[in-house]
Amino acid sequence: MRAILLSNINMQPLVRTLQPWDVSAGTYNSMLADLSTAESPASAAGVTHVLCLYDSDTLLGEAFYGGGPPEQCEMFLQALESFCARHPDKVVVANLLSPSSNRWLGFADVLHADSLRARQADLNAKLVAIGKSRPNLLLLDLDPLIRRHGEDALMSGAFWYTARIRYTARMFELLADIIRQAINAHAQRCKKVLVLDLDDTLWGGIVGEAGPLGIALSEDGKGLCYRDFQRCIKAATRTGVLLAIASKNNEPDVLEVFDQNKMMVLQRDDFAAMYVNWRPKVQNIVDIANELNLGADSFVFIDDNPVERDAVRKALPEVTVPDFPARAEELPAWFTQKILPAYFAKYAISNEDAAKTEQYRANRARQRLAASFDLDGYLAELGIECSISVNNGDRLTRAAQMTQKTSQFNLTTRRYEVTDLARFVRSHEHAVLMLDYKDRFGDEGAVALAIVDLAEGRIDTFLESCRVIGRRVEDRLLDKAIELCRSHGHRRIIGEYIPTRKNQMVAEFYDSHGFAPLSKYGDGRITYEKPIDDRRPGAG
Amino acid sequence: MIDDREQDKIQAAMKFIAVTLDIPEGELGPDSSMDNTPDWDSSEHMNICLLFEQQFGVKMDMDIITSATSIRALAALIP
């Protein structure tokens, strides 16, 4: 590419910061003449990019001080439009009008007929109209950049009055960056897929430990950092960015987050591919590339874990792997200011872009159907083995601990001490049931607990660790509780749900296990019953 | 007598000018200036002042921009 830099002020220092691009600066204040003249250097055949980076205050001229209409602006608009029309093969970059904050009207700039604010809006509307009809015109809004870094840091009176240089060295660096990004965006050189980790990336904490409702994801505090981060990512999907998950987790745990956590901005449908398993992420990324039929060189991988990032960088150098912010509060700004402009910038968003995820998702659904994934198959593959112990006096410490610590999958949230449980066991009126779990990945130990009042045929306590939720382990424990009640002569079993701030995930547990509501109490407590008389057909 | 600190500042200014003008440091001396250094023209001087301000954290005013046209003058500005 060969570029020429035109302006109405001294922009020579930008030539340096745009290196190694081949950029030459037009003569000082030659912008209008160069755009209007057929024989100008900007019109030369080899020039691929014309950068019109003018100073807005200067272009407004006396109008900036309220001294008449902005004649230069109108001339510039005409010259720009005709140049773009004459040279459809050249990309013309021009900034929108963004006057400095020095307003001669002060507070009156809001209402006054000669308001700069109104002037700016009017001229920019005209520029945008030209931009819509001339696809080779690339309009650049510098306002967000100036607002972010501040005029005081970016502009210099000393250089301005010495050499007609408006900006500081920092601004020339930032200008070069934004111009490069905009030209890449205009040329549609951008990445396609954002591959995301989950724990401590899309939400705070580890879902396998904290559970689907225990992760940090909310409308305030740290949880809001992650929720806003998700909002930023969701916005990116509207510009055609495809999302994929590569996470080391148990898939059911993750699916529960999508199903149960109302704070999730991103939904299952937002992801074109989802790989939640314990394989190396490199392998998952390769599979995502195959599934989406896209090169991994169009992937950006975001993960809070430096070890995972390093592994992907080494094994798949074509994947872009940016560093991850150290603090959660930096996530939204980091993503919007660093990741999006650097890798996913687009200048024009098409309807196809907006519908891209949907298109890939449909493909995925077909592929998944072909592979006929289902929960039963998954559970069968895990090779789950459970054993249930009843009234094992050696394990009451652990049992008490489970009643103290489990808050989410806990129907009654009754907290017991070891001494309480010992009394239960001794009395023979209660049974303490503990379920131990292992699968082919390892032994999890005791993961579920039930305390059954055998005198009443009532389930006093029923809880399960979040580590194994979604694997239907609780069904086996419930079956055992029913069996015990039956063997003690009961023809029905009573269940109970006491709502707390944390246990809404099991609000419908008994409804979905064949229990019928018995009584509802003012505090939200509900009792259930289920017939368990095995002599009656269809029962139990 | 020139103390070590002053000497260090002159060295830093020479190194900075060499990098900015993209010339070997050996072509510069403590007495180099816009007048005796061919690559140090008025246009490059603006780059020099912009980058000097940024790299050494020195706020350049108009008087400094027009007067700090030698290694010694720039070195004297280094904090």
Side-chain angles (χ1 to χ4, degrees), chain A residues 16 158-159 161 167 169 173, chain B residues 20 46-47 49-50 54 60 62:
Chain A
R16 185 189 184 95
F159 287 98
Y161 290 109
Y167 303 121
E173 289 171 352
Chain B
T20 307
M46 286 305 140
N47 267 329
C49 291
L50 282 166
Q54 185 182 41
M60 305 293 272
M62 286 183 82

Side-chain angles (χ1 to χ4, degrees), chain A residues 177-435:
Chain A
D177 286 344
I178 199 175
I179 289 166
R180 278 194 211 100
Q181 287 170 351
I183 287 176
N184 281 334
H186 188 259
Q188 316 228 8
R189 277 189 291 265
C190 65
K191 306 289 179 187
K192 296 193 176 79
V193 183
L194 185 61
V195 181
L196 294 155
D197 171 49
L198 296 176
D199 290 334
D200 281 324
T201 298
L202 280 194
W203 54 67
I206 313 289
V207 65
E209 291 170 7
L213 304 180
I215 52 178
L217 191 65
S218 58
E219 270 302 333
D220 48 39
K222 199 162 193 171
L224 182 57
C225 304
Y226 291 99
R227 191 155 149 85
D228 277 347
F229 182 39
Q230 289 200 14
R231 288 184 169 114
C232 296
I233 294 170
K234 174 84 182 177
T237 66
R238 300 182 179 114
T239 71
V241 176
L242 291 172
L243 305 183
I245 293 174
S247 163
K248 282 184 181 166
N249 256 313
N250 296 320
E251 192 173 42
D253 290 352
V254 168
L255 296 183
E256 271 177 4
V257 175
F258 284 108
D259 292 343
Q260 295 171 19
N261 195 315
K262 300 278 186 289
M263 288 291 120
M264 281 293 286
V265 175
L266 294 167
Q267 300 296 308
R268 285 195 212 198
D269 286 356
D270 291 318
F271 294 91
M274 211 184 277
Y275 283 75
V276 182
N277 52 48
W278 296 96
R279 302 187 312 164
K281 297 210 177 185
V282 168
Q283 212 176 322
N284 283 330
I285 291 173
V286 168
D287 284 355
I288 293 168
N290 287 335
E291 180 178 331
L292 300 179
N293 206 13
L294 291 168
D297 58 349
S298 66
F299 283 31
V300 176
F301 174 60
I302 290 185
D303 195 311
D304 67 296
N305 185 335
V307 177
E308 298 288 4
R309 294 201 301 268
D310 193 54
V312 173
R313 277 192 196 115
K314 288 208 172 96
L316 301 170
E318 67 271 33
V319 174
T320 301
V321 186
D323 285 336
F324 193 80
R327 296 171 195 86
E329 64 266 32
E330 296 168 7
L331 278 169
W334 167 74
F335 186 71
T336 320
Q337 295 172 15
K338 300 262 163 54
I339 301 303
L340 282 184
Y343 306 118
F344 295 104
K346 286 197 171 70
Y347 180 64
I349 314 284
S350 67
N351 293 337
E352 287 75 21
D353 286 329
K356 196 158 269 175
T357 305
E358 178 55 38
Q359 174 202 333
Y360 276 89
R361 205 168 49 80
N363 280 348
R364 182 178 62 137
R366 284 181 213 109
Q367 283 170 358
R368 276 284 158 87
L369 196 63
S372 77
F373 172 87
D374 65 78
L375 185 60
D376 289 328
Y378 170 78
L379 292 177
E381 247 203 281
L382 273 179
I384 295 171
E385 282 179 53
C386 295
S387 59
I388 297 171
S389 66
V390 181
N391 287 346
N392 184 337
D394 296 333
R395 303 185 70 194
L396 295 183
T397 308
R398 169 69 184 144
Q401 187 186 47
M402 288 169 81
T403 70
Q404 296 290 340
K405 284 192 166 179
T406 311
S407 296
Q408 289 164 47
F409 196 124
N410 193 337
L411 273 300
T412 54
T413 322
R414 294 194 171 105
R415 312 295 193 192
Y416 290 116
E417 306 288 343
V418 182
T419 47
D420 300 319
L421 298 185
R423 201 177 62 241
F424 286 161
V425 169
R426 269 200 316 270
S427 73
H428 298 289
E429 285 187 5
H430 284 75
V432 177
L433 282 62
M434 278 177 92
L435 182 142

